[in-house]
């Protein structure tokens, strides 16, 4: 995050017991946890000149590095402006305005990366991001500035609500979840399931939007398994090659909305059977038979394979990640 010290904050805080809070803020910048910008360089210099030489040197370097870092960050990087006045707190997820106490509570809150499955979903996320983003994310995890959290599948919406009830956690939450959509039309903004239809991804997206959490990525495809490259799927020992071949004979849209885990059989349940419309009308009877029971629950385990392997993602997957991952990185 970016923390901006408004005019007067350093002068006011340095003359009271709040000076320890200034040290904490400068400590965040010194260790690279957050970027710290002083609106008044003269004000910052006056305070730094009162410090012992080693501390002054560390803090001066931290401010210089923050200025350099800020020039490389995206324009929507989460920002908190720290004020010295009694201005009412504004907990906006993009640009908050807070006093020094509230700002510290926000900045020292680890970023919670909430996942439907903290194992496979986490490995999927780490694999699909670019290598530079992976390094930055792993550093934050190692330093405990961020942490992957298990969302418990169907309990995910409850976990989101629990974090959203604490304002610092609300802004320091990112959620990754499946779309659970069964047809491309269900990604239209005006689509909604009609009872007795059920779509967990739709419900989750509604909850995260209303909660105004820090950020989220609702996958465009039905599951994380829907992104698995063919050469990786063939390495899943439980799968027969003819079943994998049948899956990749489907069109792109058919692959992206197919029930990989449980197949056509599970999607035939009456309350949701109609949602695929005529998406699979051109699939041959032979391939429908091969895919009747799906590909099983082990496909996503492949994401935890050796990290030395770089997956050959399809171009659509890469483009989706390029649009969505910045919503996570802006919170680090």
């Amino acid at each position: 995050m970016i923390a901006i010290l408004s005019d007067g904050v350093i002068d006011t805080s340095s003359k009271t017991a709040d000076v320890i809070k200034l040290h904490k803020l400068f400590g965040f910048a010194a260790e690279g946890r957050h970027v710290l910008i002083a609106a008044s360089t003269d004000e910052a210099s006056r305070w730094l000149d009162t410090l012992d030489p080693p501390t002054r040197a560390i803090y001066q370097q931290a401010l210089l590095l923050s200025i350099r870092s800020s020039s490389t960050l995206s324009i929507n990087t989460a920002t908190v402006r720290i004020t010295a006045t009694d201005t009412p707190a504004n907990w906006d997820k993009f640009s908050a305005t807070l006093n020094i106490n509230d700002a510290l509570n926000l900045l020292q809150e680890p970023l919670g990366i909430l996942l439907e499955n903290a194992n496979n979903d986490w490995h999927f996320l780490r694999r699909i991001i670019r290598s530079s983003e992976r390094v930055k994310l792993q550093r934050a995890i190692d330093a405990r500035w961020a942490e992957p959290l298990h969302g418990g599948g169907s309990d995910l919406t409850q976990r989101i609500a629990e974090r959203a009830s604490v304002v610092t956690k609300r802004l320091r939450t990112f959620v990754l979840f499946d779309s659970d959509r069964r047809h491309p039309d269900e990604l239209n903004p005006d689509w909604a399931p009609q009872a007795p239809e059920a779509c967990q991804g739709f419900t989750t997206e509604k909850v995260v939007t209303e909660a105004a959490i820090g950020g989220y990525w609702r996958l465009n495809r039905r599951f994380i398994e829907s992104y698995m490259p063919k050469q990786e799927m063939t390495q899943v020992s439980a799968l027969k090659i003819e079943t994998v071949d049948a899956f990749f004979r489907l069109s792109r849209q058919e692959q992206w909305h197919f029930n990989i885990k449980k197949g056509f059989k599970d999607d035939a349940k009456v309350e949701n059977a109609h949602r695929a419309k005529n998406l699979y009308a051109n699939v041959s009877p032979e391939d429908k038979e091969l895919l009747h029971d799906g590909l099983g629950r082990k496909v996503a385990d492949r994401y935890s394979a050796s990290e030395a392997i770089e997956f050959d993602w399809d171009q659509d997957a890469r483009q989706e990640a390029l649009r969505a991952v910045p919503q996570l990185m802006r919170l680090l």
Side-chain angles (χ1 to χ4, degrees):
M1 292 185 68
I2 298 174
I4 301 174
L5 289 164
S6 299
D7 290 350
V9 174
I10 296 177
D11 280 346
T12 301
S13 300
S14 63
K15 296 177 176 65
T16 70
D18 281 348
V19 68
I20 188 63
K21 296 167 186 174
L22 277 181
H23 285 287
K24 289 182 179 180
L25 289 171
F26 275 81
F28 287 155
E31 63 189 5
R33 181 170 185 173
H34 298 296
V35 165
L36 183 66
I37 304 294
S40 171
T41 55
D42 290 342
E43 187 178 331
S45 295
R46 285 196 302 271
W47 179 60
L48 293 179
D49 286 342
T50 69
L51 305 178
D52 61 90
T55 303
R56 182 173 66 246
I58 291 170
Y59 289 176
Q60 285 175 333
Q61 181 68 9
L63 287 177
L64 287 173
L65 290 175
S66 286
I67 292 172
R68 293 173 187 169
S69 297
S70 65
S71 67
T72 65
L73 298 176
S74 64
I75 59 174
N76 73 336
T77 297
T79 301
V80 55
R81 181 174 293 276
I82 305 170
T83 65
T85 65
D86 293 329
T87 303
N90 172 19
W91 293 90
D92 184 81
K93 67 179 182 178
F94 292 104
S95 183
T97 301
L98 306 171
N99 62 38
I100 195 167
N101 295 316
D102 288 337
L104 269 177
N105 288 335
L106 176 64
L107 293 167
Q108 62 195 7
E109 179 68 44
L111 173 62
I113 304 171
L114 197 55
L115 309 154
E116 291 181 278
N117 180 299
N119 183 28
N120 289 333
D121 286 25
W122 174 241
H123 287 297
F124 163 76
L125 177 61
R126 289 189 73 256
R127 282 196 174 280
I128 202 167
I129 63 179
R130 294 176 294 184
S131 59
S132 59
E133 295 166 332
R134 193 178 305 141
V135 169
K136 184 177 181 180
L137 179 58
Q138 191 58 51
R139 181 180 180 231
I141 297 293
D142 292 342
R144 299 186 179 180
W145 303 337
E147 55 183 340
L149 303 172
H150 182 54
S154 60
D155 293 334
L156 183 62
T157 53
Q158 179 182 340
R159 305 287 177 88
I160 295 168
E162 289 170 354
R163 288 188 64 86
S165 67
V166 180
V167 68
T168 53
K169 292 184 182 295
R170 174 173 68 80
L171 269 61
R172 300 293 293 155
T173 297
F174 178 85
V175 185
L176 170 72
F177 55 98
D178 299 331
S179 79
D180 296 313
R181 303 308 205 266
R182 302 193 178 193
H183 189 279
D185 290 351
E186 295 185 350
L187 289 174
N188 293 335
D190 58 351
W191 179 82
Q194 303 297 315
E197 298 172 349
C199 179
Q200 184 61 47
F202 176 87
T203 301
T204 301
E205 187 166 14
K206 183 177 180 180
V207 170
V208 297
T209 301
E210 293 176 351
I213 61 169
Y216 72 94
W217 179 6
R218 188 266 297 136
L219 299 178
N220 286 345
R221 306 183 192 183
R222 187 166 175 179
F223 308 120
I224 61 168
E225 293 90 337
S226 309
Y227 295 79
M228 185 72 70
K230 183 176 182 179
Q231 58 267 43
E232 303 305 328
M233 198 175 285
T234 59
Q235 300 302 310
V236 180
S237 59
L239 289 181
K240 296 179 179 179
I241 189 62
E242 56 264 34
T243 305
V244 175
D245 287 341
F247 174 74
F248 282 95
R249 280 194 290 270
L250 299 176
S251 69
R252 288 190 306 166
Q253 292 292 346
E254 290 167 349
Q255 291 174 30
W256 296 354
H257 296 88
F258 177 67
N259 190 339
I260 289 182
K261 298 175 184 177
K262 299 180 181 179
F264 288 121
K265 177 179 66 176
D266 193 69
D267 278 2
K269 295 177 180 177
V270 63
E271 66 273 16
N272 286 299
H274 59 284
R275 285 174 51 195
K277 300 181 180 179
N278 64 343
L279 183 60
Y280 302 101
N282 295 324
V283 179
S284 70
E286 294 79 12
D287 283 351
K288 283 186 177 179
E289 180 61 29
L290 285 168
L291 297 171
H292 181 69
D293 295 318
L295 285 77
R297 295 182 174 275
K298 298 295 184 180
V299 173
D301 293 350
R302 182 62 186 167
Y303 288 127
S304 61
S306 170
E307 294 187 5
I309 302 171
E310 286 290 342
F311 282 20
D312 185 19
W313 305 101
D314 65 70
Q315 188 60 28
D316 290 295
R318 294 181 191 275
Q319 289 301 314
E320 182 180 345
L322 286 173
R323 292 189 298 270
V325 172
Q327 301 306 312
L328 165 62
M329 305 309 294
R330 62 175 287 275
L331 298 172
L332 290 178

